[in-house]
Amino acid sequence: MSNFQQRTFHFHMLIMVVAFVSTIITYFFGANAFADSQPLTLNAAIDIAKLQSPDRALLNANRESLLAQNRRSLAPAPPSFDLGLGDIAARPSEENSSLRTYQLSQSFGFPGKATSEAKSFELEAESVRYDLEAKDREITRLVQTAFYRFYLAKMKLQLIELKKLSFTKILTIAKRRMVKNTTTEVEYLSTQGALQSTENEKADLGLEEKNARVEFNILLGRAPGAELNVESPQIPSSPFKPDRSRLKAAFTQESPQLKASELLIKASESRVIQAKRSLLPDFKLMVGTNNYGGFAGNIELSFPLWYIWDENENIKSARQITLLQQAKAESLRRQLMQTFEERINKLEALSKKIANYKSELIPTSKRAFEVALKNYNYGKIDFSTFTTSTNTYVNSQLEYQVLLSDFLIGKAQLDEMTVGTLP
């Protein structure tokens, strides 16, 4: 076998081994065995968080319970069968001792009672459906917020590493100058102090990154300290100029929270109707026979004798609950409207600041840093001047990243309120 054939054979064997190992890992550990090596996208994180949310599961269970109560309220009452042996009111005799009676009873509530109760359960279940939609929007916002915070913490650590690298280079220059007696030991020690201070900043930002990772992992249902590798978020390329009228219309017409509160009002109104219909009679149909061929049948009507007092109070209570739901809905609408306006105003201000940093502050501070580094290397400026330019450059980028994260989080919050209508 030639060398070429041997290499080809070994290459094919290597491919087969890798494929075999991959198959074994996938079989035993699932298709996500290599998932951690791939950056986690924002949309994938949102889907995972929804599946792992206990609040979402609780709302689903509540809705199914209300739907079950809705079906049960329309179901007929269970019939009863009575078997009688003998007639204790008659004188004992041979005939009486063998008397057996059979009676079938079926109760019927007035139809209006059942339908009003069923309607209230149906409206409450529909309200929970909108609560579930609102919960999905909330989970989306929480995941986006955690995603941006974690990404911001990563970026801060990178910027501090850049600052540390620049001070490390300056320390080398300061040491060379001190050896040549072209600078004082004070400047060299000051450079060392500045370098060590970056370690403290790095420690603080490391803690921030760990906390952001814990928050994100908890939302995803993972171990708090699990490693995360996230995809870079999409940065807005143009200033934020919202169509206020369109967003406001989407908020007022499509908000699941407002829809849920409106349905609760209707459910309370249905409870009022149900309380009023308690005056209506209930029916009971009974048919029976005995072993001697006798047949009997009758209908009973049940009226609430305490209606004027008891049921009248139930109507008052149901009306007060309706007024309470109306007040809650109005309070929620006002609160959401104020939050809506505040978030739009904040996003507009943040958008202007971000544009200023991108076009003016960061390029200017970067140019000043580059010039200062060159001038310090040639001995034209002292260390304090260079430190000022370095801090200005790094801080401008840190401030930009914070503004960008605040903008993305604010946009996620506004998008939650407008049901995903933001561009």
Side-chain angles (χ1 to χ4, degrees):
M1 183 180 294
S2 65
N3 292 335
F4 175 77
Q5 290 175 328
Q6 289 180 349
R7 289 194 297 269
T8 304
F9 174 75
H10 292 156
F11 178 71
H12 285 296
M13 287 296 296
L14 178 62
I15 292 177
M16 292 176 63
V17 170
V18 171
F20 176 74
V21 173
S22 301
T23 303
I24 294 298
I25 293 177
T26 303
Y27 178 80
F28 285 102
F29 300 101
N32 294 326
F34 302 103
D36 289 339
S37 62
Q38 299 296 327
L40 179 65
T41 64
L42 180 57
N43 290 334
I46 292 172
D47 292 338
I48 294 172
K50 287 180 180 179
L51 291 175
Q52 297 294 331
S53 172
D55 294 337
R56 198 173 186 278
L58 182 63
L59 285 172
N60 267 322
N62 187 22
R63 182 168 182 265
E64 290 301 321
S65 174
L66 288 169
L67 290 175
Q69 292 180 73
N70 166 261
R71 294 187 294 269
R72 183 181 178 184
S73 62
L74 292 174
S80 61
F81 177 75
D82 299 319
L83 173 62
L85 299 176
D87 186 357
I88 61 175
R91 177 177 299 180
S93 65
E94 182 178 352
E95 294 81 3
N96 182 44
S97 62
S98 62
L99 177 65
R100 293 190 297 273
T101 60
Y102 310 92
Q103 180 173 282
L104 181 66
S105 304
Q106 175 66 59
S107 298
F108 297 93
F110 195 87
K113 294 181 179 180
T115 54
S116 60
E117 184 180 23
K119 187 64 176 178
S120 64
F121 284 128
E122 178 186 348
L123 291 170
E124 288 177 4
E126 187 70 5
S127 172
V128 175
R129 185 179 73 83
Y130 283 114
D131 287 337
L132 186 60
E133 182 181 337
K135 177 58 66 176
D136 284 342
R137 300 302 308 171
E138 180 187 357
I139 293 173
T140 299
R141 187 252 304 166
L142 290 174
V143 172
Q144 288 175 324
T145 300
F147 188 95
Y148 299 142
R149 285 176 178 168
F150 180 72
Y151 181 78
L152 172 64
K154 288 283 190 182
M155 292 301 299
K156 285 182 177 181
L157 283 172
Q158 293 180 16
L159 290 171
I160 290 302
E161 285 293 337
L162 173 65
K163 185 177 180 179
K164 180 181 176 181
L165 179 61
S166 65
F167 282 154
T168 301
K169 292 179 179 179
I170 293 304
L171 182 63
T172 303
I173 298 173
K175 184 176 181 180
R176 185 177 67 244
R177 288 180 180 178
M178 186 182 68
V179 172
K180 294 181 179 180
N181 291 325
T182 57
T183 187
T184 63
E185 186 179 0
V186 174
E187 182 168 334
Y188 174 73
L189 295 175
S190 298
T191 308
Q192 279 189 322
L195 180 61
Q196 292 302 318
S197 68
T198 60
E199 290 294 335
N200 291 337
E201 294 180 71
K202 186 176 178 181
D204 292 336
L205 294 177
L207 176 61
E208 181 179 336
E209 187 268 345
K210 287 181 180 179
N211 291 336
R213 188 183 340 137
V214 167
E215 177 188 6
F216 201 5
N217 278 325
I218 292 297
L219 282 172
L220 300 179
R222 291 159 48 107
E227 291 296 327
L228 275 173
N229 181 21
V230 298
E231 186 182 63
S232 300
Q234 185 177 0
I235 308 301
S237 57
S238 57
F240 181 71
K241 296 180 179 179
D243 185 346
R244 283 178 175 265
S245 59
R246 183 178 66 85
L247 292 178
K248 189 173 183 179
F251 161 65
T252 54
Q253 297 173 13
E254 302 298 332
S255 171
Q257 292 171 293
L258 294 179
K259 287 184 176 181
S261 63
E262 292 171 359
L263 286 170
L264 286 178
I265 293 174
K266 293 180 180 179
S268 299
E269 292 172 347
S270 183
R271 296 287 184 188
V272 174
I273 296 174
Q274 179 186 354
K276 289 180 178 180
R277 289 178 178 175
S278 61
L279 176 62
L280 300 174
D282 292 330
F283 304 90
K284 189 173 184 180
L285 174 64
M286 294 178 291
V287 294
T289 185
N290 57 47
N291 58 326
Y292 291 107
F295 177 81
N298 66 304
I299 297 178
E300 293 182 359
L301 297 179
S302 301
F303 292 91
L305 297 180
W306 292 100
Y307 173 80
I308 295 178
W309 180 79
D310 186 26
E311 300 303 329
N312 192 42
E313 294 300 319
N314 288 338
I315 294 175
K316 290 180 180 179
S317 176
R319 283 174 175 168
Q320 291 303 315
I321 292 175
T322 301
L323 293 175
L324 175 63
Q325 293 295 348
Q326 291 173 343
K328 284 184 176 180
E330 178 61 20
S331 177
L332 176 64
R333 188 191 67 80
R334 294 183 182 184
Q335 180 184 355
L336 292 177
M337 184 61 68
Q338 179 180 349
T339 305
F340 172 79
E341 294 292 339
E342 290 174 351
R343 286 178 178 174
I344 284 188
N345 294 335
K346 181 180 179 180
L347 285 177
E348 289 177 335
L350 287 173
S351 179
K352 293 177 182 178
K353 288 183 177 181
I354 290 172
N356 186 35
Y357 268 87
K358 288 176 64 176
S359 62
E360 299 294 338
L361 294 177
I362 291 180
T364 302
S365 61
K366 180 181 180 181
R367 177 59 182 163
F369 166 73
E370 292 171 346
V371 172
L373 179 61
K374 185 181 295 184
N375 288 338
Y376 182 79
N377 194 24
Y378 291 131
K380 294 182 179 180
I381 61 174
D382 58 11
F383 176 72
S384 61
T385 304
F386 171 75
T387 304
T388 301
S389 64
T390 302
N391 287 332
T392 301
Y393 175 48
V394 174
N395 290 338
S396 66
Q397 294 189 79
L398 285 172
E399 291 165 3
Y400 170 74
Q401 292 296 332
V402 171
L403 287 172
L404 187 60
S405 177
D406 288 345
F407 177 82
L408 293 173
I409 291 173
K411 189 177 180 182
Q413 293 171 338
L414 184 61
D415 200 45
E416 176 191 12
M417 298 187 70
T418 56
V419 200
T421 56
L422 282 177

